[in-house]
Amino acid sequence: MQTKPGVKRAFFYSIVSLTLLTGQSCTTKEDAQPDTRSTTDFLYQYSIITALLAGVFDGNLTFGELKKHGDFGVGTFNRVDGELVINEGKQYRIRSNGSVSEVADHDSTSLAFVKFFKADSSFTVQTAGMTLDQLQKMIAATLPINEIYAIRIKGTFSKLTTRAPAPAQKPYPTLNDHLAKSQVIFNLTNTTGVAVGFLVPTYMEKVNVPGFHFHFLADDRKSGGHVYDFTATQVTVEIDRTKGYYVELNTNTDFGKVTL
């Protein structure tokens, strides 16, 4: 169908006028911009807890890559060779011999939970003799039960019990069998430091560690590990509510061989 030149101009002017009046314009697929919403307030995790429990002890994600997803968190290493603590952007390994060292970027993890930490609330408790269980109940009582929180506890501890596992040898057993034979318990006294970790709802139990999960690092960088219990004289608790979580699946071939 042909249109007269005057009709074409009228149609063009109508479109321009509509655009100016509404402040909007037509957008094609080619013009569409990618979703740039930030994931910095989300929990990122590499692999899932049920894979580690089943004996998937190796992963392909380096700690250099992990830094891109968070400056705070917990996890472990290939072969379950120690406990991971990430605080204020620095990554530490606590080995079964009790040593603490910074992690090399080229090392790899089989399981890690991290985020960029920014506290939404904080409080201080000065009560000699407060146990880990008592503090956890105090924290949980103030929070909705179905959300995910990153939690940092700084304080002075009269007693603190941690553990770290020795590296596993192939063929890998289940995690529980490995820990029963290889974990080393540390009973620390009169120490100061930071416990970092998460509070995760029970509906995530196939993916993450449900409930509270903390790893400790002493201020003098001479001790730490997965936290079993403590008695504190003074603590400051910082809580960072997350908006959600996302998972990167383990790309090691062992991940595809287990039934989860």
Side-chain angles (χ1 to χ4, degrees):
M1 181 180 69
Q2 287 185 321
T3 58
K4 296 180 180 180
V7 174
K8 287 183 178 180
R9 285 195 296 271
F11 178 76
F12 173 76
Y13 293 146
S14 297
I15 292 295
V16 172
S17 299
L18 180 62
T19 300
L20 292 174
L21 286 170
T22 62
Q24 297 177 340
S25 61
C26 298
T27 303
T28 65
K29 287 185 177 180
E30 289 75 17
D31 296 327
Q33 297 298 312
D35 186 354
T36 57
R37 289 175 296 179
S38 173
T39 57
T40 58
D41 208 20
F42 285 71
L43 166 64
Y44 163 87
Q45 66 177 75
Y46 178 73
S47 197
I48 58 177
I49 187 61
T50 46
L52 192 75
L53 289 170
V56 181
F57 290 173
D58 291 327
N60 297 330
L61 184 74
T62 67
F63 284 95
E65 287 295 316
L66 186 64
K67 287 179 180 178
K68 299 176 183 179
H69 299 283
D71 59 7
F72 171 99
V74 297
T76 188
F77 301 81
N78 280 1
R79 301 170 60 207
V80 200
D81 185 11
E83 302 286 355
L84 171 67
V85 175
I86 305 174
N87 187 45
E88 297 179 339
K90 292 188 176 181
Q91 303 171 332
Y92 298 91
R93 184 203 306 254
I94 297 92
R95 280 195 160 100
S96 59
N97 63 4
S99 66
V100 178
S101 60
E102 288 200 47
V103 180
D105 283 349
H106 60 77
D107 284 343
S108 296
T109 179
S110 53
L111 182 71
F113 313 120
V114 302
K115 84 175 298 290
F116 290 97
F117 190 89
K118 185 177 181 181
D120 297 306
S121 61
S122 64
F123 63 89
T124 298
V125 180
Q126 292 183 327
T127 303
M130 172 169 283
T131 65
L132 172 62
D133 182 63
Q134 290 171 333
L135 182 60
Q136 288 179 163
K137 288 178 179 177
M138 180 184 295
I139 295 170
T142 67
L143 302 174
I145 61 174
N146 289 322
E147 298 187 21
I148 304 167
Y149 304 90
I151 301 173
R152 178 160 55 201
I153 303 171
K154 298 178 181 178
T156 302
F157 306 90
S158 57
K159 297 179 181 179
L160 195 147
T161 303
T162 66
R163 71 110 195 273
Q169 304 297 325
K170 289 186 175 183
Y172 294 142
T174 65
L175 180 63
N176 287 337
D177 286 346
H178 177 60
L179 292 178
K181 297 177 181 179
S182 75
Q183 72 176 1
V184 178
I185 304 297
F186 305 107
N187 293 305
L188 311 176
T189 58
N190 300 320
T191 185
T192 61
V194 59
V196 306
F198 298 92
L199 171 57
V200 172
T202 55
Y203 62 77
M204 290 178 61
E205 63 183 352
K206 291 281 188 178
V207 177
N208 204 306
V209 180
F212 291 93
H213 178 200
F214 293 109
H215 289 187
F216 177 75
L217 179 68
D219 286 342
D220 62 8
R221 306 294 187 265
K222 292 182 178 180
S223 59
H226 174 95
V227 177
Y228 276 137
D229 198 8
F230 63 60
T231 302
T233 56
Q234 180 272 331
V235 293
T236 296
V237 179
E238 297 174 280
I239 301 173
D240 179 5
R241 175 183 172 273
T242 74
K243 292 181 178 178
Y245 74 99
Y246 61 107
V247 178
E248 181 175 348
L249 295 180
N250 192 330
T251 54
N252 188 278
T253 55
D254 289 346
F255 183 80
K257 298 176 182 178
V258 295
T259 301
L260 302 176

